Amino acid sequence: MEGMPSIWLMGPTASGKTGLALELARRLPVGLISVDSALVYRGMDIGAAKPDAETLRAFPHRLIDIIDPAESYSAARFRKDALEAMREIHAAGRIPLLVGGTMLYYRALQDGLADLPASDPGVREAILAEAAGLGWPAMHAQLAKVDPVIAARLHPNDPQRVGRALEVWRLTGVPLSEWQARGRKQAAPDVGRVLKLAIMPPRDVLRERIALRFAQMLEGGFIDEVAGLKARGDLHLGLPSMRAVGYRQVWEFLDGAHTHERMVELGVTATRGLAKRQMTWLRSERELNSLDPATNADDLLTSIEPWLSGGAFTAW
C-alpha cells in the first residue's frame, strides 16, 4: 500500500464522527472502515451508537457486526482485518476512510504491535485470585506503580487489559509500555499516506452531548437491548463486549444494583471518562489535524482534495 492514501477520522465518543464521515462519503469515492471496539459485536446496536440498518445499507462499513458478543476481538485482529480491508478498497479504486474512536486500534495499525511474552496460566490465575479479593481498582493501582504509562490508558475496572499488563510485568520485570515501544520499532506496517483528522469539541460541549446521547439511547430502547443480551444466558460482565460503556451500568441496573437515576449517572460518567481518555490519546497523536465539531463537509473537502493529489492538507 506504499504511497496509497487513506483518511482517518478520529475523535472522542459523541463528537459527531459518523455524521461527518457520511457527509464525506457522499462527496468522495471512499470505502468506510469502522475503528470501534463495540461496533464489531452483533446485537449491540443502541448502546454502541451503531449506524442504523438503513444507513449501513446506503453506506456499508467494514468491521461492523463481524463477531458475537460472547467472543473477544483484539487489536492484533483489528490490524489484520483493517489492512485487508484497506487493500481491497484500494484495489477497487477507492480511498479507505477509517472512522471511530478506539485509539488503541489506530495505534496498532500505525505503529504495529509488540512481540509480547506468551501468557502464563499460573501467573494469570494468581492475578485473578488476587483481584477477586482486592478488586480491580486495587490491581490498577498496583499497575500504576510499575507502569504508569499503560495504567493512564486503562479504566480501573478493565480486568482483561489491567490483568494482562500486570502479567507481563510479573513475568518479565519489564513494563508493558516498554515492550510495546520495542515492538513498534520492529513491526510497523505500511499503511501508505495517511491524513489524520480529529473532531475536538470543547469539554463543556462534549459533556452535554454525551448526556443527551445517553438519554436518547434509553429512549430508543437501550434497556431492552441489554435485557435481551442478558437473557441469552451465555454472556456475563467479564466479557469485553459487556464492559463497553453503558452496557455494564444497564446490566447492573437490571440486576437491581442501581436505581434508574443512579444507572443514568454512572453511564454518563463512564462515557465521559472514556471521552477524556480518548482526548488524552489524541493530544499525543502526531501529525493530527484538529477539526471543530461544526466543521462543514464542503469546506473540509477543499482541504482534502489537494492532499489526495499529493499536495498538503491546509486547515482553513
Side-chain angles (χ1 to χ4, degrees), residues 143-196:
L143 178 63
K145 293 179 181 178
V146 298
D147 195 346
V149 174
I150 292 295
R153 299 176 186 169
L154 301 181
H155 192 280
N157 283 314
D158 188 340
Q160 182 183 26
R161 294 188 176 92
V162 172
R164 177 56 175 157
L166 283 171
E167 180 187 22
V168 169
W169 167 256
R170 293 185 183 185
L171 281 170
T172 67
V174 177
L176 176 58
S177 57
E178 187 172 329
W179 279 98
Q180 291 179 339
R182 292 175 183 176
R184 282 196 292 270
K185 294 175 183 176
Q186 302 170 356
D190 174 24
V191 293
R193 295 177 60 235
V194 176
L195 176 60
K196 289 192 278 189

Side-chain angles (χ1 to χ4, degrees), residues 46-48 214 217-227 245-247 250:
I46 299 169
F214 197 81
M217 288 175 175
L218 292 174
E219 292 173 4
F222 186 20
I223 293 174
D224 288 339
E225 177 176 274
V226 178
V245 291
Y247 284 87
V250 174

Side-chain angles (χ1 to χ4, degrees), residues 125-275:
E125 286 301 318
I127 290 170
L128 292 174
E130 192 174 342
L134 299 177
W136 282 106
M139 304 301 286
H140 182 269
Q142 288 186 25
L143 178 63
K145 293 179 181 178
V146 298
D147 195 346
V149 174
I150 292 295
R153 299 176 186 169
L154 301 181
H155 192 280
N157 283 314
D158 188 340
Q160 182 183 26
R161 294 188 176 92
V162 172
R164 177 56 175 157
L166 283 171
E167 180 187 22
V168 169
W169 167 256
R170 293 185 183 185
L171 281 170
T172 67
V174 177
L176 176 58
S177 57
E178 187 172 329
W179 279 98
Q180 291 179 339
R182 292 175 183 176
R184 282 196 292 270
K185 294 175 183 176
Q186 302 170 356
D190 174 24
V191 293
R193 295 177 60 235
V194 176
L195 176 60
K196 289 192 278 189
L197 307 172
I199 303 176
M200 303 285 275
R203 183 172 177 270
D204 57 339
V205 171
L206 187 58
R207 287 175 62 85
E208 291 178 5
R209 293 179 72 154
I210 287 170
L212 176 61
R213 190 174 73 169
F214 197 81
Q216 291 171 337
M217 288 175 175
L218 292 174
E219 292 173 4
F222 186 20
I223 293 174
D224 288 339
E225 177 176 274
V226 178
L229 293 167
K230 194 170 185 290
R232 285 179 34 163
D234 63 334
L235 304 179
H236 55 83
L237 290 179
L239 291 168
S241 60
M242 294 300 101
R243 291 200 301 272
V245 291
Y247 284 87
R248 170 183 292 274
Q249 291 75 26
V250 174
W251 185 296
E252 291 173 342
F253 162 71
L254 292 170
D255 276 343
H258 309 304
T259 64
H260 188 278
E261 182 179 8
R262 178 62 173 159
M263 176 269 289
V264 173
E265 179 185 353
L266 291 172
V268 169
T269 299
T271 309
R272 287 172 175 167
L274 169 63

Side-chain angles (χ1 to χ4, degrees), residues 274-294:
L274 169 63
K276 182 178 179 180
R277 294 191 297 276
Q278 289 169 319
M279 292 289 278
T280 299
W281 275 73
L282 286 166
R283 292 189 186 101
S284 67
E285 193 68 30
R286 57 188 183 271
E287 299 178 353
L288 185 70
N289 299 280
S290 297
L291 305 176
D292 184 274

Side-chain angles (χ1 to χ4, degrees), residues 79-140:
R79 175 190 169 189
K80 175 179 177 293
D81 291 346
L83 288 171
E84 181 179 348
M86 292 171 73
R87 283 191 289 267
E88 291 175 355
I89 291 167
H90 280 141
R94 303 178 75 80
I95 305 157
L97 172 54
L98 287 74
V99 55
T102 300
M103 301 310 301
L104 178 63
Y105 287 2
Y106 284 114
R107 191 66 56 87
L109 185 58
Q110 174 178 269
D111 295 334
L113 293 165
D115 186 15
L116 299 176
S119 181
D120 183 294
V123 174
R124 188 69 176 174
E125 286 301 318
I127 290 170
L128 292 174
E130 192 174 342
L134 299 177
W136 282 106
M139 304 301 286
H140 182 269

